[in-house]
Amino acid sequence: MNLFEAVGRLGHEQVVFFHHRESGLRCVIAIHNTALGPALGGLRMWPYANEADAVRDVLKHSADMTHKAAIAGLNLGGAKGVLIGNPETDKSEALFRALGRFIQSLGGRYITTEDVGTNAEDMELIRQETRHVVGVPQLVGGSGDPSRFTALGTLHGIRACMEFKLGHADLRRTSFAVQGAGQVGYHLAKSLRAAGAKVFITDINEERIEHAVAEFGAEAVPMSQIYDVEADVFSPCALSAVINEDTVPRLRCRIVAGGANNQLESEELGTELDRRGILYAPDYAINAGGLMNSAIELEGYNEDRALRSVARIHDIISRILNLAARNNIPTWQAARRLAEERIAALSRIKLPYGGR
């Protein structure tokens, strides 16, 4: 791939490659935009087939983080980190502490937190070398695992979608097809069932499905059939690019609203959902609860304040839906417009963030 061409097209400020032979560290950090403040983005650990795949992943996700922070009303920019390696076998104290020292060298332009393949314990190791990290365990003053806040924010956003599309927000009258029973999917499905909703659930891990069925009465569905379930809401909470040319014709829902990142394989598919009369909640807006929670940790964590912040996702989604309806545009375009308008407005008064 042509790295400079890709960076120029997406508008990144900085892409940094970290390597430490002794610990096995191979990491790429992409800082997309710091007009609103320091760039915060999760650290993903994954056994990428090659380095080009890792770079493509970090560039795409970091640009999305800029829009997520902007539309959430946070004074943060967007970034992402990818750590090349198997999270099951390649983790070590030396690896994460070496990465912490590299992050410290960026002078606060990048703040890391957990993501796919990393957890609060990994962040605690990084924290031994830098304070530019959030998502550390609550026992040491952090906010811990952000997944329940991501799920809670998604639920607030789902209610906004229901009010707009169905004319009510009564979960007892609503059915859901939840794709993914991991951290976010589990918390979301459990909350939906507690409110009386009908929940179909699937996951690549059979034990997770069995646990959801036994604990709160979800109905198990095979992975390959979740798109065919007749439910009011399809809620992707696991894989990326699940809304694609193969799956869109199979959807039997009226709303797509879930906690997964990068649900659309392409933006054109968001337009296709709109054409088919399926309401799509832009993923980076509805799943911003985890980011909101982590942002509060930067100022001294307070859970009550985090809960109030996450509740704003209902109004954020409503604003997107109303803007889309007024202008007769797809919801993904409305969300992008709101995010970019805020960045542009504040860019006039702020220079790129240089650290404190």
Side-chain angles (χ1 to χ4, degrees):
M1 65 181 299
N2 187 320
L3 180 59
F4 282 104
E5 180 180 331
V7 169
R9 183 177 68 255
L10 294 171
H12 285 75
E13 292 179 5
Q14 186 176 14
V15 180
V16 185
F17 293 79
F18 292 141
H19 178 249
H20 186 250
R21 181 176 300 173
E22 289 75 11
S23 66
L25 174 68
R26 292 185 297 159
C27 180
V28 186
I29 292 174
I31 298 173
H32 180 255
N33 187 295
T34 58
L36 300 182
L40 192 155
L43 174 67
R44 174 170 299 193
M45 187 172 188
W46 195 256
Y48 291 96
N50 53 65
E51 294 170 0
D53 286 349
V55 172
R56 275 189 286 267
D57 208 22
V58 77
L59 293 179
K60 174 70 170 69
H61 286 293
S62 55
D64 290 339
M65 287 300 297
T66 293
H67 294 117
K68 179 180 290 193
I71 206 162
L74 302 175
N75 296 319
L76 292 169
K80 203 73 172 183
V82 293
L83 188 57
I84 302 173
N86 188 330
E88 301 297 326
T89 58
D90 296 338
K91 288 186 178 183
S92 70
E93 177 183 2
L95 178 78
F96 287 106
R97 292 189 65 172
L99 178 56
R101 292 193 177 194
F102 281 121
I103 291 172
Q104 178 67 17
S105 72
L106 296 176
R109 282 176 51 78
Y110 171 65
I111 302 166
T112 196
T113 189
E114 64 187 80
D115 201 326
V116 176
T118 60
N119 54 40
E121 288 68 34
D122 302 327
M123 298 305 110
E124 188 173 8
L125 291 173
I126 291 174
R127 191 172 184 264
Q128 294 185 44
E129 304 296 335
T130 181
R131 286 296 180 264
H132 304 305
V133 56
V134 292
V136 297
Q138 293 179 335
L139 291 175
V140 294
S143 60
D145 181 5
S147 61
R148 65 188 180 99
F149 292 93
T150 302
L152 178 59
T154 301
L155 182 57
H156 285 304
I158 285 173
R159 289 184 184 273
C161 291
M162 290 172 58
E163 291 165 358
F164 188 90
K165 185 71 174 179
L166 308 180
H168 69 84
D170 187 352
L171 296 173
R172 295 170 298 179
R173 297 162 51 191
T174 313
S175 56
F176 294 81
V178 179
Q179 184 186 48
Q183 294 284 27
V184 174
Y186 165 80
H187 288 300
L188 177 61
K190 184 176 181 179
S191 296
L192 291 170
R193 285 294 296 144
K198 173 73 172 178
V199 175
F200 302 92
I201 197 164
T202 193
D203 194 276
I204 195 170
N205 186 319
E206 289 290 336
E207 291 184 2
R208 291 176 181 171
I209 300 177
E210 294 171 2
H211 182 65
V213 171
E215 182 181 359
F216 46 80
E219 184 173 327
V221 176
M223 277 282 289
S224 61
Q225 297 177 21
I226 193 66
Y227 305 102
D228 307 305
V229 172
E230 290 193 17
D232 297 301
V233 181
F234 173 55
S235 188
C237 293
L239 303 173
S240 300
V242 296
I243 305 299
N244 53 56
E245 292 183 355
D246 294 329
T247 60
V248 166
R250 296 169 57 188
L251 293 176
R252 300 294 180 264
C253 61
R254 300 177 67 186
I255 298 169
V256 173
N261 288 315
N262 303 114
Q263 295 168 25
L264 302 177
E265 188 175 55
S266 69
E267 292 170 337
E268 289 74 17
L269 289 163
T271 304
E272 177 62 16
L273 289 177
D274 182 70
R275 191 187 68 80
R276 291 172 177 261
I278 299 175
L279 182 67
Y280 168 64
D283 46 32
Y284 59 77
I286 197 171
N287 69 14
L291 179 63
M292 291 173 161
N293 178 67
S294 297
I296 289 172
E297 189 175 333
L298 294 170
E299 302 169 5
Y301 188 66
N302 180 286
E303 185 168 316
D304 288 339
R305 186 181 170 198
L307 292 171
R308 290 196 301 272
S309 180
V310 171
R312 293 191 297 108
I313 290 179
H314 176 282
D315 294 336
I316 291 169
I317 295 298
S318 293
R319 187 181 176 198
I320 292 169
L321 302 183
N322 287 319
L323 177 64
R326 286 197 308 271
N327 291 272
N328 194 29
I329 58 176
T331 55
W332 71 266
Q333 289 184 3
R336 180 71 59 84
R337 180 181 299 182
L338 289 174
E340 292 183 349
E341 283 178 353
R342 180 168 184 256
I343 294 170
L346 294 184
S347 293
R348 298 187 184 102
I349 63 170
K350 290 186 176 183
L351 295 173
Y353 185 80
R356 293 192 181 98

